[in-house]
Amino acid sequence: MSLTPDDVKRIARLARIEIDDVQAQATQAQLNTIFDLIATMQAVDTAGIAPMAHAQEVYQRLRDDVVTETDRHAAFQAVAPAVENGLYLVPKVIE
Amino acid sequence: MPDASLSALAAQLAAKQISSRELARQYLDRIAALNPAINAFITVDAEKTLLEATAADARIAAGQAGPLTGVPIAHKDIFCTDGWRTTCGSKMLHNFVAPYDAHVIQRFKAAGMPSLGKTNMDEFAMGSSNETSYFGAVKNPWNTTCVPGGSSGGAAACVAARMAPAATGTDTGGSIRQPAALCGITGLKPTYGLVSRYGMIAFASSLDQAGPMAPSAEDCALLLNVMTGFDPNDSTSLEREKEDYTRDLDQPLAGLRVGLPREFFAEGLNSDVAAAVEAAVTELKKLGATTVDISLANSKLAIPVYYVLAPAEASSNLSRFDGVRYGYRAPEYASLDDMYCKTRAQGFGAEVKRRILIGAYVLSHGYYDAYYLQAQKIRRLIADDFNQAFKACDIILGPTAPGTAFKLGEKSDDPVEMYLNDLYTIPANLAGLPGMSLPCGFDAKGLPIGLQLVGNYFSEAKMLNVAHQYQRATDWHSRQPEDLK
Amino acid sequence: MKRGHDNWETVIGLEVHTQLATRSKIFSGSSTAFGAAPNTQASAVDVALPGVLPVLNKKAVECAIRFGLAVDATLNRVNVFDRKNYFYPDLPKGYQISQLAKPIVEGGTLKIVVEGEERTIHLTRAHMEEDAGKSLHEDFHGMTGIDLNRAGTPLLEIVSEPEMRSSAEAVAYARALHTLVTWIGICDGNMQEGSFRVDANVSVRPVGQTEFGTRREIKNLNSFKFLQQAIDYEVRWQIETLEDGGRIEQATVLFDPDTGETRMMRSKEDAHDYRYFPDPDLLPVKLDEDWIEAVRAGLPELPAAMQARFQADYGVSAYDAAVLTGSRALADFFEAAARACGQGKLAANWVMGELSAALNKAELDIAQSPVSAAQLGTLIARIQDGTLSGKLAKQVFEGLWEGAGEVDAIIETRGLKQMSDSGELEKIVDDVLAANPKSVEEFRSGKEKAFNALVGQVMKASRGKANPAQVNELLKARLQ
């Protein structure tokens, strides 16, 4: 498995992390050594093995349909970068 | 600093030999004196601490104290703490004051244990040396040119230096156990689901667990009693009957079958570490244990599996850090998209970005089956190895880390070399099993060596029993760094 | 290639997002009430603060089970939540919790009636997911405002097979689905408030081709009218494009109600790689048999069953049965009226005709009808027993609507009783015949229309109270 700088740029785009050509090159090299590490597990025959998502065989607990939360927007928005009239502000979204 | 166990401190408080305020003051003074050299703390707020201590004293006076009321503790800066800056070691949250308490923090508050502050950590818990923190590296109190281990490096260092009698840590691939080993203290990662993750900033959701870090196993048992318990706000929190983790501490070890995985004593293991662990095995045999050779054949795949699963989950968990609702936002940007990209490029450090990219890649279209799904399947093989092993033994023992504390900067250029530090600790996280590290000696350079115990699901009391009996027969856990006494 | 609509077949599949009628959100205990001040119903979990975790609302699952049973679908006894990862400011976690590989409901069918013909549409699946917040683009000095009150509202996304072949069929399906989800009480159906939102996947292919053409997705249609207009425009546009030699690129488009056109939102190149994986913060959802049976027992009689019963028991047509089961309230009203008077067909006519017209005009729905089912039943009974003619009954209806009292009281006070005394009527008939010799003559010489004119004169002379059937009889007899 070998990533190209284009791969790195594409993934960075997916992850919304800005990366210039120089960084992409450096990152590519490091990522490729990590992928070499990961490659060892790809060859293992896992036919018929069920993937393990959780340690215990437990199922999702269900919550009663009751309103338990109160209005805490003042506290939550005290730490927000940009707020106006109770709304979080972001650069204009163009559809 | 007098080597005070939690139970000793609690007794002193109960006997009014000292007040919680006085005790907190002592630790705060020690923090002020030592932290500049160690950098174990990101946030200290003496005023808040003393307020909490005063409240604890009131509870003690009113006869409403719990077993550890008034005993102070430091918290890894990964736990959201209402009104306290909670940074996760990152620029992304460097000014984030949490508006709510993590469940674990609530439990410590209910127990009446004042917070001494928020300890330093690898950024977003990603690291094994505490060198990736935005707030600077943590130094190992045993040798300040060396790393303390990570990601709970600050917690381990502050306990080792006795800046706090105990600390909370979190462990995803070894982040409690490995720094505990490198700093000569005791640390425990519980069975997955025993401690609530609500309010614990997520790294890899299916692997993260919070746990205690303190000088001794007995201390850890007392802390586990505070930390564990069902939380309805965490869907992965298990509903079980409340346990007293101190109940089996004094059980004799006669008849204990200790499994020694041959894969944990193979090449890559430092010879001083091997020798110390073997000496510990001898000690346990004197206490009545027998040993069994076991094999965890798939454990060599644990690292690649971990470096697929953990980054995958992390890449998704860290998407919420986007500069919109809290945390760092880039000062300049040309559009919404640009804001996201610059905020995340500037707010995250290099290791975090690397892992996000790996994670995004292994989940991306066309690669999911070959990477993520494959890793989950091998995970089951690794868990099955343990299930098999526990048919032949009661507890598994090995070294916690392949070496001792390495020099600052020594491994930080090569991510893969860094990852190999977690060789022995990762399998327990993948299986969801409880694991513990306790001190068992020193290397030729005087750096601490840790021995790891891995137990079957929900066998914490047994693990603590083995550790406690070992600690009664030895004194590695009582040693403190000379220069800092 | 020959030009023209007839050479092309339209293929439509609908994805409908229904907001489930729960009090609290799917993964948090915040209220789902509509219209609150911005971000006042957004808890730590909804705002995606660091460290928060989701916990599943039992009622949301119950709603999904109810739906699955109502459409005869497969209920996956173990179903799983997945994360759908993408960046958007109204999606605070940077991922939406949804279900991909193992949804709670798979398969299912829905009967629709289009131009009198019944068709069965197959559903692919229905899954639970959380709604996103809202973006407000009105100017905040060039910024967009984000309100997370809606973030975390439970949704059931219902996906149909691409079996619809016209906008009419698509609308019929959407209406039938709307009726069903409100009928079983899982959704309030308020389209203005965004409780029921339709995405239409539209493609065309030459008639006879089995391969599907490239489809474009029209997003977020919140009225049946827009659904129909958007599809019609899109189909025309696709056909014209193809006939001009162009290609259809897969894309997501928005419908602009002002221009009546669809325009591209994003193309396939911009298409997201959602990197789905099972959400590690949630455990698999298990549905046990007892629960499913309890939900099944609590289901009301469904529209399809009720339609069949109305046809069998009350003699109404399939078309009428479909209309009458447009909502549970309407169906219940009809049934009560039909039972009260024992005249199913008449009750159907009155409910679908006079009553519906009056309700529409006054912009009321059936629940707000000033005329009760019992009153309508009585009115119809009075027609049956000859007290009222159809025309007179209409006047009584008006009286009922105005709240002028009960049926018999209105008949009395307004003197609307149909003339029953044949003697009196005979006299009027004789008078009219005497007064209209020309019409008599015209009728006798073969002009049918003249008869109607005479009938009209008799009705007028009796001030509408004559029994039209009697008038006909008497005139016929006299004119022999």
Side-chain angles (χ1 to χ4, degrees):
Chain A
M1 161 84 288
S2 214
L3 295 185
T4 64
D6 272 349
D7 287 327
V8 176
K9 289 226 184 107
R10 182 177 55 86
I11 306 292
R13 173 93 207 98
L14 267 183
R16 295 297 189 273
I17 296 177
E18 185 182 69
I19 188 162
D20 63 36
D21 289 335
V22 174
Q23 291 165 328
Q25 286 245 330
T27 309
Q28 176 203 6
Q30 288 168 338
L31 291 181
N32 278 329
T33 62
I34 297 168
F35 276 106
D36 288 340
L37 172 69
I38 292 173
T40 55
M41 74 139 204
Q42 288 189 287
V44 177
D45 179 12
T46 54
I49 310 284
M52 178 176 171
H54 301 278
Q56 315 289 329
E57 193 178 310
V58 199
Y59 295 101
Q60 176 64 33
R61 184 170 25 85
L62 302 171
R63 209 185 84 233
D64 285 338
D65 183 27
V66 180
V67 174
T68 54
E69 298 292 337
T70 56
D71 175 13
R72 293 206 62 210
H73 83 278
F76 294 163
Q77 291 182 348
V79 295
V83 165
E84 191 174 299
N85 295 339
L87 293 159
Y88 291 99
L89 293 187
V90 295
K92 200 164 183 87
V93 177
I94 304 161
E95 292 263 84
Chain B
M1 195 74 179
D3 194 4
S5 69
L6 296 184
S7 47
L9 290 173
Q12 287 172 43
L13 286 161
K16 311 270 197 300
Q17 286 161 9
I18 192 169
S19 72
S20 179
R21 247 190 106 87
E22 284 162 339
L23 196 52
R25 185 80 266 167
Q26 276 180 28
Y27 281 107
L28 287 168
D29 289 344
R30 192 163 168 84
I31 291 168
L34 298 179
N35 201 51
I38 309 284
N39 200 25
F41 282 84
I42 293 176
T43 299
V44 176
D45 188 330
E47 210 181 293
K48 281 205 187 58
T49 302
L50 292 169
L51 261 172
E52 292 181 22
T54 306
D57 282 328
R59 271 179 71 175
I60 296 171
Q64 287 167 352
L68 295 175
T69 300
V71 178
I73 183 165
H75 292 296
K76 183 173 181 178
D77 206 12
I78 197 170
F79 295 101
C80 284
T81 312
D82 197 353
W84 288 73
R85 191 170 65 146
T86 302
T87 71
C88 224
S90 181
K91 179 176 182 179
M92 194 56 99
L93 293 176
H94 75 279
N95 61 357
F96 175 68
V97 175
Y100 77 104
D101 278 331
H103 183 82
V104 161
I105 298 294
Q106 283 176 26
R107 284 190 175 267
F108 280 107
K109 281 187 176 171
M113 297 178 70
S115 169
L116 286 168
K118 308 301 285 300
T119 61
N120 206 341
M121 53 181 284
D122 276 307
E123 187 183 1
F124 284 106
M126 301 183 199
S128 308
S129 66
N130 217 135
E131 293 176 285
T132 67
S133 169
Y134 175 65
F135 299 91
V138 175
K139 320 291 174 28
N140 192 317
W142 294 88
N143 180 332
T144 54
T145 66
C146 293
V147 303
S151 62
S152 311
C158 96
V159 169
R162 302 301 189 264
M163 287 193 259
T168 52
T170 65
D171 191 311
T172 305
S175 291
I176 285 176
R177 291 161 287 156
Q178 186 253 17
L182 269 52
C183 286
I185 65 164
T186 306
L188 185 147
K189 178 203 90 69
T191 306
Y192 184 85
L194 275 189
V195 178
S196 165
R197 293 184 299 114
Y198 188 79
M200 195 175 111
I201 299 174
F203 159 22
S205 318
S206 74
L207 304 170
D208 295 342
Q209 267 298 272
M213 301 176 78
S216 75
E218 191 198 331
D219 294 333
C220 286
L222 287 165
L223 291 169
L224 209 57
N225 281 349
V226 177
M227 294 178 82
T228 53
F230 172 64
D231 177 13
N233 285 323
D234 175 356
S235 291
T236 60
S237 170
L238 298 169
E239 259 181 287
R240 292 173 59 82
E241 250 180 69
K242 188 82 177 148
E243 273 187 64
D244 173 6
Y245 293 100
T246 65
R247 71 183 187 276
D248 288 337
L249 288 175
D250 294 325
Q251 291 297 315
L253 300 188
L256 180 77
R257 297 170 303 161
V258 176
L260 303 172
R262 64 185 77 122
E263 293 81 6
F264 286 8
F265 294 90
E267 81 277 350
L269 178 58
N270 172 287
S271 51
D272 285 354
V273 174
V277 173
E278 271 150 37
V281 171
T282 306
E283 203 55 58
L284 288 173
K285 280 179 167 165
K286 281 195 218 153
L287 293 169
T290 55
T291 61
V292 184
D293 270 331
I294 58 166
S295 173
L296 298 172
N298 292 291
S299 60
K300 64 186 185 306
L301 295 168
I303 290 188
V305 165
Y306 177 80
Y307 280 99
V308 167
L309 296 178
E313 295 182 11
S315 71
S316 180
N317 285 330
L318 268 56
S319 292
R320 67 190 61 198
F321 300 106
D322 57 9
V324 175
R325 299 164 311 290
Y326 47 78
Y328 180 79
R329 180 188 279 201
E332 283 172 23
Y333 43 83
S335 66
L336 171 70
D337 215 65
D338 201 36
M339 186 195 87
Y340 282 151
C341 295
K342 287 192 157 62
T343 295
R344 292 162 61 80
Q346 295 165 16
F348 290 136
E351 181 60 33
V352 168
K353 283 190 276 198
R354 262 196 294 276
R355 298 209 195 181
I356 290 176
L357 292 178
I358 295 172
Y361 190 83
V362 302
L363 289 175
S364 67
H365 181 65
Y367 296 103
Y368 178 85
D369 284 4
Y371 288 106
Y372 190 84
L373 205 54
Q374 175 75 343
Q376 291 283 47
K377 291 179 178 180
I378 298 177
R379 183 178 182 175
R380 186 170 298 283
L381 292 177
I382 291 171
D384 287 345
D385 282 352
F386 279 108
N387 290 338
Q388 268 304 108
F390 284 121
K391 290 179 182 162
C393 69
D394 303 312
I395 202 158
I396 292 172
L397 182 153
T400 303
T404 56
F406 43 91
K407 293 260 185 240
L408 290 153
E410 186 182 314
K411 299 197 186 182
S412 46
D413 280 343
D414 184 347
V416 172
E417 219 200 308
M418 186 66 81
Y419 298 163
L420 293 172
N421 281 296
D422 301 324
L423 191 53
Y424 307 128
T425 48
I426 284 176
N429 297 89
L430 292 174
L433 291 166
M436 220 183 136
S437 180
L438 50 149
C440 68
F442 292 85
D443 74 359
K445 293 170 285 180
L447 293 168
I449 295 171
L451 117 78
Q452 183 185 210
L453 298 171
V454 179
N456 209 340
Y457 300 105
F458 311 114
S459 69
E460 287 79 2
K462 171 109 247 132
M463 274 194 325
L464 288 160
N465 163 222
V466 175
H468 180 66
Q469 291 305 311
Y470 176 79
Q471 286 179 346
R472 285 188 59 202
T474 59
D475 74 342
W476 304 114
H477 62 288
S478 312
R479 308 278 184 92
Q480 290 179 48
E482 277 301 324
D483 314 328
L484 303 177
K485 269 197 170 131
Chain C
M1 157 148 301
K2 251 176 78 181
R3 281 185 169 264
H5 236 91
D6 292 343
N7 301 320
W8 298 92
E9 180 176 49
T10 302
V11 174
I12 303 164
L14 297 187
E15 289 168 18
V16 179
H17 292 88
T18 57
Q19 278 186 351
L20 299 177
T22 58
R23 274 185 288 237
S24 61
K25 295 187 180 179
I26 188 171
F27 296 117
S28 81
S30 300
S31 166
T32 54
F34 185 82
N39 290 304
T40 55
Q41 285 175 189
S43 68
V45 172
D46 305 323
V47 172
L49 290 181
V52 297
L53 296 170
V55 188
L56 181 59
N57 183 333
K58 183 171 188 174
K59 189 89 194 287
V61 183
E62 193 193 293
C63 289
I65 295 174
R66 239 189 276 167
F67 179 77
L69 293 172
V71 295
D72 267 315
T74 301
L75 284 168
N76 282 325
R77 301 302 194 262
V78 176
N79 56 89
V80 176
F81 283 103
D82 297 292
R83 293 189 184 179
K84 179 180 182 182
N85 296 279
Y86 65 97
F87 284 88
Y88 205 71
D90 67 8
L91 193 70
K93 292 186 293 296
Y95 59 87
Q96 177 195 31
I97 301 178
S98 177
Q99 297 187 299
L100 182 73
K102 269 245 156 260
I104 185 167
V105 170
E106 277 187 282
T109 56
L110 191 65
K111 275 212 185 69
I112 66 172
V113 178
V114 193
E115 285 154 21
E117 300 257 315
E118 221 180 56
R119 264 201 76 188
T120 297
I121 302 290
H122 294 88
L123 306 185
T124 314
R125 49 184 279 149
H127 65 261
M128 297 180 282
E129 60 182 27
E130 53 177 350
D131 211 343
K134 278 204 182 131
S135 305
L136 292 140
H137 304 294
E138 292 98 69
D139 235 337
F140 290 93
H141 16 267
M143 308 275 271
T144 291
I146 306 294
D147 175 13
L148 297 172
N149 281 350
R150 199 182 66 176
T153 302
L155 294 178
L156 188 67
E157 180 178 331
I158 302 164
V159 182
S160 81
E161 291 288 328
E163 291 177 353
M164 285 150 280
R165 297 286 174 266
S166 68
S167 62
E169 284 189 0
V171 171
Y173 169 87
R175 282 192 185 280
L177 191 62
H178 184 273
T179 297
L180 182 65
V181 297
T182 50
W183 189 284
I184 61 178
I186 66 169
C187 176
D188 72 13
N190 189 327
M191 293 174 82
Q192 260 98 316
E193 287 180 3
S195 303
F196 188 93
R197 314 192 295 255
V198 184
D199 295 345
N201 288 300
V202 180
S203 66
V204 297
R205 63 185 172 187
V207 168
Q209 181 176 298
T210 46
E211 228 177 70
F212 287 134
T214 305
R215 66 167 197 259
R216 302 207 320 166
E217 184 185 15
I218 313 171
K219 284 205 80 71
N220 275 333
L221 297 154
N222 69 344
S223 88
F224 299 120
K225 187 171 118 194
F226 293 162
L227 175 61
Q228 183 233 308
Q229 286 175 352
I231 292 174
D232 288 342
Y233 177 87
E234 179 65 21
V235 167
R236 260 200 319 276
W237 181 88
Q238 288 195 15
I239 290 174
E240 274 167 24
T241 302
L242 289 168
E243 288 184 342
D244 284 342
R247 283 183 58 220
I248 308 294
E249 299 291 330
Q250 198 174 339
T252 304
V253 303
L254 286 176
F255 176 68
D256 185 342
D258 297 328
T259 60
E261 298 178 353
T262 55
R263 63 181 167 81
M264 194 161 87
M265 199 174 130
R266 51 173 183 265
S267 71
K268 193 179 177 192
E269 275 69 52
D270 302 338
H272 299 286
D273 178 350
Y274 293 119
R275 288 155 282 139
Y276 284 97
F277 71 104
D279 193 329
D281 289 330
L282 292 164
L283 300 173
V285 181
K286 185 140 188 235
L287 310 179
D288 68 55
E289 300 309 315
D290 288 343
W291 190 16
I292 294 172
E293 287 321 304
V295 175
R296 194 195 301 273
L299 274 178
E301 185 183 16
L302 297 177
M306 215 178 225
Q307 284 170 30
R309 191 163 64 75
F310 284 359
Q311 289 177 65
D313 295 354
Y314 302 112
V316 300
S317 70
Y319 177 80
D320 287 359
V323 175
L324 291 168
T325 53
S327 77
R328 219 155 111 194
L330 187 65
D332 289 345
F333 188 103
F334 159 73
E335 181 145 42
R339 287 220 174 113
C341 65
Q343 300 296 321
K345 284 213 178 85
L346 269 178
N349 288 343
W350 272 90
V351 169
M352 284 167 35
E354 210 64 32
L355 179 63
S356 287
L359 288 169
N360 283 339
K361 191 163 170 208
E363 286 182 4
L364 297 172
D365 63 27
I366 190 71
Q368 301 158 303
S369 169
V371 179
S372 73
Q375 287 172 330
L376 189 62
T378 308
L379 181 63
I380 294 168
R382 291 290 170 270
I383 300 173
Q384 264 320 95
D385 69 20
T387 309
L388 294 171
S389 65
K391 242 188 176 153
L392 288 169
K394 284 191 178 148
Q395 290 182 54
V396 176
F397 179 84
E398 273 162 40
L400 288 171
W401 186 273
E402 289 154 17
E406 291 307 317
V407 173
D408 291 329
I410 292 171
I411 292 174
E412 200 60 47
T413 37
R414 297 191 186 188
L416 294 172
K417 209 165 181 172
Q418 186 167 245
M419 190 178 289
S420 53
D421 182 351
S422 51
E424 205 188 329
L425 186 55
E426 280 173 29
K427 187 170 181 307
I428 292 176
V429 168
D430 288 338
D431 287 347
V432 165
L433 285 175
N436 294 277
K438 191 163 170 237
S439 296
V440 173
E441 199 156 331
E442 281 175 358
F443 175 71
R444 288 224 166 102
S445 61
K447 274 208 181 127
E448 293 291 331
K449 268 194 198 161
F451 185 83
N452 294 339
L454 288 168
V455 170
Q457 289 294 326
V458 173
M459 292 306 291
K460 195 167 147 195
S462 73
R463 268 170 286 127
K465 290 198 212 144
N467 182 329
Q470 260 188 313
V471 171
N472 267 279
E473 258 182 63
L474 283 171
L475 275 174
K476 277 209 183 101
R478 287 285 192 277
L479 291 169
Q480 287 292 20

